[in-house]
Amino acid sequence: MPRVAVIGAGLVGRSWAMVFARAGWQAVLYDPVEGVTQQALGLVKDGLADQARHGLVDDPEAALGRISSAPDLGPALERADYVQESGPEHVDAKRAIWADLDRLTPAGVVITSSTSAITASRFTESLAGRGRCLVGHPVNPPHVVPIVELAGAPWTSAETIKRARAIFESVGQVPIEV
């Protein structure tokens, strides 16, 4: 089963976890703020039940069973096939998070950010693996509106964009390159 690491367990991170879990992926949530990830799991359970009432998920219990939490960033990224970062909308915070993501994420794994206002070049410029990094900004919330904007930096490889597109399509999203 493919595995996504969702970094940031706020509204957008929780929504991404549900999108991937509904599509059969294992989703691992991590948030550096103590208690947020555990609280998020209850909100995800409620969100999946609500989606089931509206016909957006057939088996909310099975989807919930594919979502887990990690106590630290390293374990969240272990065995990740894809990483979706949904942290704070501050350049300095993104730079710090992304330095860790680039260092800890297995080589070759695509890493995207849900950022809505910060270009990928602003927080990936100094990364060794910057060619695998891009923005995957959802129309919110992604568990209801299945459209995601893909925006690379000048150094994002064409193969990375192609792989991100395939991943998003596999989970029912409609990627648009901007």
Side-chain angles (χ1 to χ4, degrees), residues 111-138:
I111 308 171
T112 64
S113 177
S114 298
T115 185
S116 60
I118 306 170
T119 61
S121 61
R122 303 240 358 245
F123 53 87
T124 65
E125 180 177 38
S126 64
L127 302 179
R130 67 188 190 169
R132 66 178 173 161
C133 303
L134 72 156
V135 168
H137 173 254

Side-chain angles (χ1 to χ4, degrees), residues 41-166:
L41 293 174
L43 294 168
V44 164
K45 180 179 181 178
D46 294 344
L48 287 166
D50 187 50
Q51 290 171 62
R53 285 190 293 277
H54 295 285
L56 297 174
V57 61
D58 295 329
D59 189 345
E61 291 300 319
L64 182 62
R66 289 187 288 272
I67 300 172
S68 62
S69 64
D72 197 12
L73 184 59
L77 297 170
E78 288 175 5
R79 301 180 321 274
D81 296 299
Y82 176 73
V83 177
Q84 182 72 41
E85 174 270 323
S86 300
E89 287 287 296
H90 303 283
V91 173
D92 291 338
K94 291 269 187 240
R95 285 183 183 136
I97 292 166
W98 278 69
D100 288 339
L101 291 178
D102 188 49
R103 182 174 49 83
L104 296 170
T105 300
V109 172
V110 174
I111 308 171
T112 64
S113 177
S114 298
T115 185
S116 60
I118 306 170
T119 61
S121 61
R122 303 240 358 245
F123 53 87
T124 65
E125 180 177 38
S126 64
L127 302 179
R130 67 188 190 169
R132 66 178 173 161
C133 303
L134 72 156
V135 168
H137 173 254
V139 173
N140 286 314
H143 68 275
V144 177
V145 184
I147 299 171
V148 60
E149 299 171 319
L150 302 181
W155 41 81
T156 303
S157 75
E159 178 61 23
T160 293
I161 301 246
K162 180 180 175 183
R163 288 176 51 211
R165 172 179 281 284

Side-chain angles (χ1 to χ4, degrees), residues 1-6 16-18 20-21 25-29 41 63 66-69:
M1 172 181 324
R3 178 179 167 127
V4 61
V6 179
W16 277 127
M18 291 185 284
F20 280 87
W25 285 57
Q26 179 183 11
V28 180
L29 272 170
L41 293 174
R66 289 187 288 272
I67 300 172
S68 62
S69 64

